[in-house]
Amino acid sequence: RRWCSALLGIAIGSCKVPVSWNGPLKPRSSGYPLIIFSHGLGAFRTLYSSICTELASWGFVVAALEHRDHSAATTYFCPAEAGTEQWIPFQRVPRGQKEFYFRNKQVHQRAQECVRALRLFQGIAGGRSVPNILHQDWDLSVLKDNLDVTQVAVMGHSFGGVTAVLALVKEPSFRCAVALDAWMFPLENLLYPEVPKPVLFINTEKFQTPESVAKMKRLSSRNSQTRIVTVLGTVHEDQTDFAFLPGKLFGRIFGRRGSLEPHKALAITSRAALAFLQRHLKLQEQFGQWDELLEGVGDSVAPEAPFGRSHL
């Protein structure tokens, strides 16, 4: 039995998230800062439970969106006036259409949906009644007087990373953005000078290209507070729950996991994000202890994109 259990651990991994389901909200007189989170291409809102719950555990309200632009694996939304589910399937680039124009339209819709989510929470914080049409027991009204909508960041992974960057252009209330392994391709060149706030780019070692990193550097050259760091020994999926689902054997065979232990990768990513958020949301916490990560200093982290020094 022990041998069988060990083998399953190597092959399968973990499916548990250390949270209390539907736990009560602890009131906070100063209000919780808010993070709007955008998923990647072909992903969905629940694929980022590890990073979102980790940030929530440090005192944030995290709103993980599921976008309606046909970029989610398969999603649905309930029109409030009808209360019926409307399915939105994943859509590939239509034949004969250039990918940039197709994805650029999507990223603008996604960024606008981030703004719409912020408007929703601004209303909730002010006491507006918002019905939960997903028929869940959690009462959104408990957030009234428990949100600080002056301390708001936008965050995302891959396609969601560039969505977060664009959201800074569309909404002045977003104070900063955290972009996890951002896919910079869909953002038009004219918008780079328009990004007004600082961005933290946290890249994995095996996803980014010199062209993509060059676009990040265009933003850092315009804003001295923008940072680019790389977590060594990681692949693109290491910033999602896929890092934890397969065991070591399956993860390495199918390329879903890098050589860095996933809990360590999550710790580096979340701590760098927390240090950045404290700096730009003006939080009175202890996250400054991880400031050196923002400079690419520390174990398994490097500044910018160290192409050619793979640890995988």
Side-chain angles (χ1 to χ4, degrees):
R1 182 177 297 178
R2 289 182 180 177
W3 179 84
C4 183
S5 176
L7 182 61
L8 286 174
I10 293 173
I12 297 177
S14 173
C15 299
K16 294 182 179 180
V17 178
V19 298
S20 175
W21 183 252
N22 282 338
L25 180 75
K26 181 180 180 180
R28 181 172 177 174
S29 59
S30 59
Y32 290 99
L34 174 65
I35 299 172
I36 305 294
F37 192 95
S38 173
H39 65 74
L41 180 65
F44 38 88
R45 70 187 188 282
T46 56
L47 189 60
Y48 300 91
S49 299
S50 52
I51 183 66
C52 289
T53 56
E54 178 66 19
L55 294 171
S57 75
W58 289 97
F60 293 82
V61 169
V62 184
L65 308 189
E66 192 142 308
H67 291 290
R68 303 180 183 181
D69 64 328
H70 296 273
S71 67
T74 298
T75 189
Y76 69 85
F77 76 98
C78 302
E81 64 278 4
T84 57
E85 296 175 3
Q86 178 178 336
W87 287 91
I88 306 175
F90 178 81
Q91 185 177 351
R92 299 184 182 278
V93 179
R95 182 174 297 180
Q97 186 171 344
K98 290 188 175 181
E99 184 174 18
F100 172 79
Y101 297 106
F102 183 75
R103 300 303 184 197
N104 178 256
K105 182 179 179 181
Q106 286 182 312
V107 76
H108 276 270
Q109 178 178 337
R110 290 164 135 263
Q112 197 58 50
E113 288 173 350
C114 291
V115 176
R116 185 178 178 184
L118 173 58
R119 295 283 180 269
L120 180 73
F121 280 97
Q122 287 172 332
I124 292 171
R128 190 174 74 215
S129 176
V130 176
N132 188 347
I133 57 177
L134 291 180
H135 309 296
Q136 294 180 348
D137 294 332
W138 203 69
D139 185 3
L140 289 170
S141 67
V142 301
L143 292 174
K144 180 180 181 295
D145 300 325
N146 281 306
L147 278 179
D148 185 347
V149 291
T150 68
Q151 296 178 319
V152 187
V154 59
M155 185 173 182
H157 174 250
S158 194
F159 203 5
V162 75
T163 300
V165 173
L166 180 56
L168 292 181
V169 178
K170 293 184 178 291
E171 177 49 55
S173 295
F174 288 127
R175 303 274 293 273
C176 61
V178 178
L180 306 179
D181 232 6
W183 183 42
M184 300 299 292
F185 170 76
L187 190 63
E188 60 264 45
N189 290 331
L190 289 176
L191 281 178
Y192 283 88
E194 304 299 321
V195 179
K197 306 287 178 62
V199 182
L200 171 61
F201 292 100
I202 307 178
N203 296 330
T204 64
E205 189 176 353
K206 280 297 185 179
F207 178 74
Q208 292 297 336
T209 64
E211 293 78 15
S212 184
V213 172
K215 293 180 178 181
M216 298 175 189
K217 289 181 177 179
R218 285 185 62 184
L219 292 180
S220 65
S221 68
R222 294 177 177 275
N223 191 316
S224 62
Q225 296 301 311
T226 289
R227 295 289 185 270
I228 308 167
V229 298
T230 297
V231 183
L232 302 175
T234 56
V235 299
H236 196 52
E237 289 80 5
D238 281 327
Q239 293 178 334
T240 75
D241 293 347
F242 275 132
F244 299 92
L245 295 176
K248 293 181 179 179
L249 179 62
F250 283 5
R252 297 301 294 275
I253 291 175
F254 294 105
R256 296 292 189 183
R257 181 188 288 186
S259 60
L260 187 64
E261 199 277 325
H263 288 91
K264 185 173 183 179
L266 174 62
I268 293 171
T269 299
S270 58
R271 289 171 182 178
L274 289 167
F276 188 78
L277 292 170
Q278 170 162 303
R279 183 178 297 183
H280 298 292
L281 297 184
K282 309 300 182 185
L283 305 178
Q284 302 299 315
E285 303 291 346
Q286 302 298 318
F287 306 150
Q289 62 183 303
W290 300 308
D291 275 348
E292 65 176 10
L293 292 174
L294 302 181
E295 309 305 325
V297 177
D299 185 32
S300 299
V301 66
E304 297 190 348
F307 296 111
R309 48 176 297 203
S310 176
H311 290 244
L312 295 176

